């Protein structure tokens, strides 16, 4: 059995839905269990994460970077870094913002860099972009809200809320992308655990 | 009078259209002239750029970063860096790719970082995102191809081709965004030149 | 007259010394005044920043990114973004960490990206790297603590504390680099103000 | 048995020494073989990389980003991306430049992002910074050229040449850091291969 923890911060509920989809995807892999913690819960139960085989970090992109709540969690979790307690765990990242692109990539890179400092092993989406799906391309509208990997993101899944309130946003495609991602990270975590046994 | 040079590489013609829009925007500012050079032309006439008050760099995002052609130009232009010949010029950046987001931000950051090494002064879009326009929001489709700053990009204008051939792509909105940007960079270059006189 | 505000967060006092050096450099430019605010003070007096011609942001690099205190300031300052109240101001960034490199560049990029969202105009160090100074090169020790731009940073000045307590750290060279930078940002702010008059 | 390919570009021989050290480290892991290819060799034998369990990419940092030679390789290798032929391979990255920091992090991020597009699994240094070694800290000189992870880099190993010609540069510590890294990436590749069997 492998365990995946999803640690997230959500300001308005969009990233929470994305986090739930990631956790659902992870838990759907045979031999994997998943837990879901807000950054506040994770700060209060930091040792609980030591037992996870993988940790997936998610937060909104606010002003071009990880949210302050996520950053606070990262700084509290520095104590785990001092002893490399999370070394060799699998890591992942996801983010939501109001728009197609914005600076979401910078948030994903920030989450990835932090996982590298912990000595974790980083897993991206490994999904082709939606526009490579014939149905989604050849129009300047771009792929629609039901498309998988609509934004063509590789470091981690992106989602957009477009000022639409949850649960209408993020879109079906964005949440399915998140679910695929959870399954992928869980699969790699399971493989690594088996390989080390 | 201020002069803006737009140095670009275009693989299939999309970024060329974007570059032309940027140059058009710059040339539309009273007191500003603009020139347009491919990276190959710029390599062959590197000294010509010394006279510009601002240089705006643009290329497609290929495999998550600036194109190899643009990178080659940057390395040839290292000789200008050795003497800080381009110090204090205004700089800008733009990029096109097939999809909504991808890793376009990484290309813009790569172009920005290079301009910082030259000691240039960087100007972004200073445009609000399209979703803050009431007509463009409240739907999961997101803002359409006619929207300004459709992708919510601040470091520089983004454009997307969605596998549609030029001149149908980039979209009207993407090219107008590029034009706005050219005007903005030109305006700042002119202000700086006046302020130094 | 132009005014430069330096907004900083400092955890142990190193970044405070760097911030003071930046402010000193800015105030040393004829026709420029400078103020120094912690992120907490800036949050409490956000409107005060509206009058500045330039804002330089600085914080330690914690876990590979801007500090949570700085990020909180950025999120509170989002209300200024809604109206683009800080558009066209000059921006700059600096950071300190324990080591030569670490992920300091990611912090500078995070501060730069945030300034781009505000529509600010970004100014880097425009300094050659220390190793291009004959006295500092040709040895694997690299340039010493008295060198200017010891780390070869272009987006903004870096400093290192190497676990040495302030005021012994940051080094003389690091603080002089910060002072040079403050003067450079102030000079550009003054030029822009004159050019717009 | 697992196989690690090291694909590198070296302009003056420093990165070649770093690449050799990475390959040596990988080959030193029981059950792992390693091969070393320049980007030109890799372009000419692209299919050869299909059989590797991990690919580690290395190049100098030129003008703040991956070298043009490496970028050209990445664009040729896009044909592997079209079929996700390298999906699930382990990836790593390393870089050398003239100075302590510069924009080396941007090069590592560029190499990491490219590996994410391929659907690879990224492994960083997982090494504590040199300054956490009591012998290396408490002085503003910072850790010396024999130190492991002298630059405190987590995404991948950094090295510096400080204008010293190879083989005197990179330093003993920089090359040992590269060797440690090769061993780490190889170990993870072997674990993953076992876990998937």
């Amino acid at each position: 059995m492998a365990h995946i923890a999803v640690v997230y911060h959500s300001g308005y509920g969009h990233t929470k839905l994305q986090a739930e989809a990631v956790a659902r995807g992870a838990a759907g892999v045979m031999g994997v269990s998943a837990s879901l913690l807000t950054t506040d819960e994770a700060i209060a139960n930091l040792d609980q994460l030591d037992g996870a085989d993988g940790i997936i970090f998610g937060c909104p992109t606010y002003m071009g970077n990880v949210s302050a709540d996520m950053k606070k969690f990262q700084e509290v979790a520095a104590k785990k870094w001092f002893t490399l307690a999370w070394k060799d765990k699998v890591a992942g990242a996801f983010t939501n913002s109001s728009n197609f692109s914005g600076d979401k990539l910078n948030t994903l890179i920030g989450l990835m860099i932090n996982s590298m400092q912990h000595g974790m092993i980083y897993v991206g989406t490994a999904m082709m972009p939606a526009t490579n799906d014939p149905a989604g391309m050849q129009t300047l509208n771009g792929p629609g809200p039901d498309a998988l990997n609509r934004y063509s993101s590789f470091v981690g899944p992106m989602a957009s809320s477009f000022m639409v309130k949850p649960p209408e946003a993020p879109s079906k495609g964005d949440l399915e992308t998140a679910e695929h991602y959870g399954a992928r990270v869980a699969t790699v975590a399971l493989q690594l655990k088996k390989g080390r046994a």
Side-chain angles (χ1 to χ4, degrees), chain A residues 1 4 7 10 15 19 57 70-71 85 107 113 124 143 145-146 153 164 167 189:
Chain A
M1 282 292 293
I4 300 291
V7 176
S10 181
T15 312
F57 307 96
M70 174 54 77
K71 191 66 218 313
T107 297
I113 284 177
D146 290 353
S153 185
V164 178

Side-chain angles (χ1 to χ4, degrees), chain A residues 46-143:
Chain A
L46 202 60
D47 294 345
Q48 186 183 322
L49 294 171
D50 296 357
D53 300 290
I55 310 177
I56 307 178
F57 307 96
C59 65
T61 296
Y62 285 163
M63 298 305 290
N65 210 335
V66 296
S67 65
D69 279 84
M70 174 54 77
K71 191 66 218 313
K72 187 183 160 198
F73 162 76
Q74 291 181 338
E75 293 181 12
V76 172
K79 76 177 65 161
K80 294 299 178 184
W81 170 59
F82 298 151
T83 58
L84 286 181
W86 294 354
K87 183 169 173 276
D88 290 331
K89 291 185 195 306
V90 165
F94 59 91
T95 190
N96 176 77
S97 76
S98 297
N99 301 284
F100 280 125
S101 177
D103 296 316
K104 280 195 272 249
L105 178 61
N106 192 51
T107 297
L108 295 176
I109 288 174
L111 295 170
M112 186 280 298
I113 284 177
N114 180 65
S115 77
M116 286 296 109
Q117 184 159 347
H118 281 287
M120 300 173 83
I121 291 162
Y122 194 86
V123 179
T125 61
M127 294 173 78
M128 291 304 281
T131 47
N132 282 19
D133 174 334
M137 60 190 192
Q138 311 267 1
T139 158
L140 295 176
N141 287 322

Side-chain angles (χ1 to χ4, degrees), chain A residues 10 12-17 161 163-170:
Chain A
S10 181
Y12 300 93
H14 299 101
T15 312
K16 182 174 193 280
L17 289 171
S161 46
M163 307 273 177
V164 178
K165 288 191 183 149
E168 277 66 42

